[in-house]
Amino acid sequence: ALLWVFNQLFTKVEATKPSSTVVRSKDVLQWVHANKRVLLIGEDKAGRTALAKTLYRELQREHKLVPLLLSADDLSSFRPNQLKEVLERSREEQYGPSTKQAFFGLPNDRRVLIIDDFHRSKLSWIPSSSLLLNAELFFDFIIVFVDSTFDVDILAATVKRPLFGGYRQYVIAELGHQLRGKLIGRWVALRSDNWAGDSDPFQEILDKEKILESLLSRRMLPSYPIIILGVLQFLEAGRNPHSNTGSYGELYQRLIT
């Protein structure tokens, strides 16, 4: 939790335009809470699952809501009108067998449904539509995570209405320079026991930022939190990339597999 840094979000339709609507990292939690119905789209390694779990935790802590987290595996055999059964299983796993009355007795504006990797469920339009329509009867807050190919599947289908027509659709962005620095700073802070003697944490942050900047400027690696942390772990293990020769092959292979 200490290491997590929220990505910025960009509106899906305008994600490649300079005028894109941006949700800043520090505003993501409040933005999700304010918009209630959200579809978040991210590339592989963009941190979809980490963001889903962070929202699960922070919506409880900051807004006193009660979230339920579903994965694609929970929906693999879903059929229309089976939502209650799916919710029952997940509720018992996440909150215990004695919480049924308390959970379903909550008002809708206290419950949150978070669906991670919805695209992997491979549901056709009819069960997908049934799932979302029935979920809206139980949850005021619904947050769905998909990868960047999901909308291609939806556009290829013959549907009467878009599945997420009423949802705010945003893309999970790569970390910019400032957020990378924040993440590196937290990484270094966790190693504060190594600051003794001549160790200079600020110099360490600058050194690591310089290496990351060199990697990212070559567009070899995307600037996502898991990639940044992978590079930091690689450096921590003493496997320093040869920045003078540009030999990043081993690092690249480790991070993409």
Side-chain angles (χ1 to χ4, degrees):
L2 180 60
L3 274 175
W4 179 256
V5 172
F6 280 112
N7 303 58
Q8 291 185 156
L9 305 175
F10 289 90
T11 47
K12 176 181 179 295
V13 175
E14 301 177 346
T16 60
K17 298 181 180 179
S19 60
S20 296
T21 303
V22 178
V23 181
R24 300 294 180 188
S25 173
K26 64 182 179 63
D27 300 323
V28 167
L29 182 64
Q30 187 56 43
W31 178 85
V32 168
H33 182 262
N35 283 279
K36 296 188 176 182
R37 304 281 166 82
V38 178
L39 178 71
L40 296 178
I41 304 159
E43 301 282 352
D44 284 343
K45 300 188 184 298
R48 294 189 306 263
T49 297
L51 179 55
K53 291 180 178 180
T54 301
L55 289 172
Y56 180 99
R57 181 183 65 250
E58 293 301 310
L59 286 170
Q60 290 184 73
R61 190 172 69 87
E62 294 291 333
H63 294 284
K64 311 305 179 187
L65 300 178
V66 182
L68 205 61
L69 178 61
L70 303 183
S71 68
D73 292 338
D74 297 317
L75 304 174
S76 59
S77 59
F78 179 81
R79 297 291 181 273
N81 302 318
Q82 286 185 334
L83 179 63
K84 192 73 177 288
E85 180 181 332
V86 172
L87 297 180
E88 282 279 14
R89 287 198 303 268
S90 297
R91 186 269 314 159
E92 184 167 336
E93 290 172 1
Q94 294 170 40
Y95 294 104
S98 63
T99 59
K100 178 177 179 179
Q101 184 174 353
F103 181 82
F104 288 105
L106 290 169
N108 286 9
D109 62 3
R110 290 283 313 284
R111 291 194 293 254
V112 183
L113 180 64
I114 302 174
I115 307 177
D116 188 27
D117 283 347
F118 184 72
H119 58 283
R120 288 201 303 107
S121 67
K122 303 298 184 182
L123 296 178
S124 64
W125 186 82
I126 290 177
S128 294
S129 180
S130 172
L131 170 66
L132 294 172
L133 287 173
N134 281 282
E136 291 168 6
L137 300 176
F138 286 97
F139 301 90
D140 275 8
F141 298 88
I142 302 177
I143 307 161
V144 182
F145 290 82
V146 297
D147 75 1
S148 57
T149 66
F150 179 75
D151 56 335
V152 175
D153 297 332
I154 294 301
L155 288 172
T158 302
V159 298
K160 295 180 179 180
R161 68 176 183 88
L163 275 180
F164 296 100
Y167 285 62
R168 300 298 301 274
Q169 300 181 26
Y170 273 61
V171 174
I172 301 172
E174 295 184 31
L175 298 184
H177 178 77
Q178 184 177 6
L179 292 177
R180 289 199 302 270
K182 185 176 182 180
L183 184 59
I184 293 168
R186 291 186 177 183
W187 170 272
V188 172
L190 285 177
R191 299 173 55 255
S192 58
D193 56 332
N194 295 328
W195 289 3
D198 297 329
S199 179
D200 182 350
F202 302 106
Q203 187 59 50
E204 184 177 354
I205 291 171
L206 291 174
D207 291 342
K208 285 178 168 50
E209 284 184 334
K210 187 180 297 185
I211 293 171
L212 280 162
E213 191 65 35
S214 178
L215 279 169
L216 298 170
S217 66
R218 299 162 187 256
R219 301 304 300 170
M220 293 186 62
L221 297 168
S223 183
Y224 292 130
I226 190 64
I227 298 295
I228 303 302
L229 293 173
V231 173
L232 294 173
Q233 286 181 322
F234 189 87
L235 297 172
E236 184 75 9
R239 307 299 295 274
N240 194 24
H242 302 295
S243 56
N244 58 327
T245 63
S247 177
Y248 296 106
E250 182 183 1
L251 173 61
Y252 179 76
Q253 289 299 324
R254 283 172 177 260
L255 293 176
I256 65 172
T257 56

